[in-house]
Amino acid sequence: MSTPAKLVLDGVRKEFRVRGERDSFTALEDVSLELTEGEFLVLVGPSGSGKSTLLDLLGGLSKPSGGQLLLDGRPITGPGLDRGIVFQQYALLPWRTARGNIEFGLEAKGIRRRERRSIAEHYLELVGLNGFGDRYPHELSGGMKQRVAIARSLAFDPEVLLMDEPFAALDAQTRETLQDELLRIWRSTGKTILFITHGIDEAVYLGQRVAVLTSRPGRIKAIVDIDLERREDPDPAEDTDIRSSERFREIRHHIWTLLQSEVARVEQLGGVATAEQGPDGRAAHV
Ligand SMILES: Nc1ncnc2c1ncn2[C@@H]1O[C@H](COP(=O)(O)OP(=O)(O)OP(=O)(O)O)[C@@H](O)[C@H]1O
Ligand SMILES: [Mg+2]
């Protein structure tokens, strides 16, 4: 028997009305995708290809113009405790401290104060914010705010994690630490994760599959299986090896080529799109 689908996108279309224009703007067109229970899927695509729009739909924060989205076989009709979202821009409650922000979701779940506090401390430590629990968002740097948002979503322990470029604002070292931490949490909890990134290396490193979106409107251009030989419980030394393996480079180049052709297509249309890393890992804004 095959694993049941946890999330289903079936012919999803999203249009936006644009002020002052008669025609609406199509951000997503005929997007069909299934995530099995416990899968780690990464979504990449040029800037403006509809990645965040897709995440909003899955989060139940907006409604599709066509097609349907299912969670456990039921239509997504709004936000729910079963999904945790890390937004591209940190969405913290400004009137709550870092700890208070992490505890917020736990209150909704009815967890008692003492336990809330200890869970919050655990996740603050995990994201490297030990001792910053009493700071308010405006007293934190951008990367620190993003780490609070990540800690909040993990502490909340939802079945499905929807993450929109969560590590983009972090320094390389913190990013790699959190990538490994996320993989560890994913392996030990069996969560279903949809992860959006601009980083091709990050996509290949994290994902079991990488879905590539086209630009304007966003459609699924390709879904790439990441057939790297991973160890269940990798030690840090092995991790660096996987990134420098021949297979890793091949897959990275394949995805880079897919994205590059999209960027070229948009340039012909006279628009702007970016693919952030060259096949050799150099930053290459195109
Ligand atoms: N509320 C809205 N009203 C009108 N257009 C919108 C709205 N939200 C998004 N769009 C448009 O939809 C397209 C997709 O936007 P989206 O934010 O999903 O892109 P993205 O792939 O997340 O880009 P990035 O990589 O830059 O974050 C863009 O052209 C954007 O202008
Ligand atoms: Mg986005």
Side-chain angles (χ1 to χ4, degrees):
M1 207 178 79
S2 62
T3 326
K6 185 77 182 169
L7 279 174
V8 175
L9 293 104
D10 181 18
V12 170
R13 194 176 79 251
K14 181 67 184 178
E15 291 172 9
F16 291 110
R17 294 231 139 267
V18 185
R19 247 176 302 124
E21 286 186 25
R22 249 188 57 209
D23 297 331
S24 55
F25 174 87
T26 306
L28 292 170
E29 179 79 72
D30 195 23
V31 173
S32 295
L33 190 63
E34 282 194 11
L35 274 83
T36 53
E37 174 117 46
E39 179 171 12
F40 198 135
L41 186 125
V42 180
L43 186 64
V44 298
S47 182
S49 59
K51 302 180 297 295
S52 298
T53 302
L54 195 70
L55 198 101
D56 278 355
L57 291 168
L58 287 167
L61 302 168
S62 68
K63 298 211 174 334
S65 314
Q68 57 173 355
L69 296 105
L70 307 174
L71 173 67
D72 289 324
R74 289 183 295 276
I76 291 172
T77 53
L81 295 176
D82 42 19
R83 279 151 294 153
I85 308 182
V86 179
F87 293 99
Q88 191 167 0
Q89 286 295 325
Y90 17 85
L92 299 179
L93 303 171
W95 59 88
R96 284 192 161 223
T97 61
R99 182 185 300 105
N101 266 280
I102 298 172
E103 286 189 18
F104 184 72
L106 305 176
E107 288 164 23
K109 285 176 110 179
I111 295 172
R112 285 171 186 279
R113 186 207 283 254
R114 286 236 331 247
E115 199 187 339
R116 281 204 311 261
R117 174 113 193 176
S118 89
I119 294 173
E121 288 305 323
H122 171 74
Y123 283 96
L124 276 169
E125 193 181 330
L126 190 80
V127 297
L129 288 178
N130 241 342
F132 287 91
D134 292 324
R135 298 262 192 124
Y136 286 90
H138 76 272
E139 299 170 321
L140 298 169
S141 75
M144 289 162 105
K145 279 188 267 215
Q146 191 63 339
R147 278 184 274 163
V148 175
I150 292 162
R152 181 175 59 184
S153 73
L154 294 175
F156 180 61
D157 196 28
E159 289 167 46
V160 177
L161 268 174
L162 306 169
M163 309 180 92
D164 196 352
E165 304 195 34
F167 303 151
L170 307 179
D171 60 89
Q173 223 151 7
T174 311
R175 184 182 311 137
E176 288 193 9
T177 306
L178 288 180
Q179 285 171 349
D180 287 335
E181 207 47 57
L182 183 63
L183 281 178
R184 192 189 59 72
I185 290 169
W186 169 66
R187 288 196 185 102
S188 63
T189 59
K191 290 185 192 313
T192 309
I193 301 181
L194 181 80
F195 188 104
I196 294 171
T197 180
H198 263 117
I200 303 173
D201 274 56
E202 182 167 76
V204 178
Y205 187 66
L206 293 177
Q208 292 178 301
R209 290 193 297 160
V210 174
V212 182
L213 281 186
T214 63
S215 38
R216 293 203 308 193
R219 304 171 199 259
I220 304 283
K221 182 181 177 82
I223 297 180
V224 180
D225 280 318
I226 310 300
D227 53 356
L228 291 169
E229 281 195 32
R230 296 173 200 272
R231 294 178 20 164
E232 269 301 294
D233 187 18
D235 72 54
E238 287 285 326
D239 279 357
T240 20
D241 276 339
I242 217 175
R243 287 191 175 96
S244 52
S245 73
E246 187 58 36
R247 186 68 191 135
F248 190 97
R249 277 204 292 270
E250 278 169 18
I251 300 171
R252 183 172 67 186
H253 183 71
H254 178 49
I255 295 172
W256 184 83
T257 310
L258 289 167
L259 279 169
Q260 193 59 23
S261 65
E262 280 311 301
V263 174
R265 195 170 65 83
V266 169
E267 275 171 356
Q268 275 172 2
L269 293 169
V272 183
T274 57
E276 279 203 346
Q277 280 170 329
D280 53 1
R282 273 181 302 125
H285 290 264
V286 263

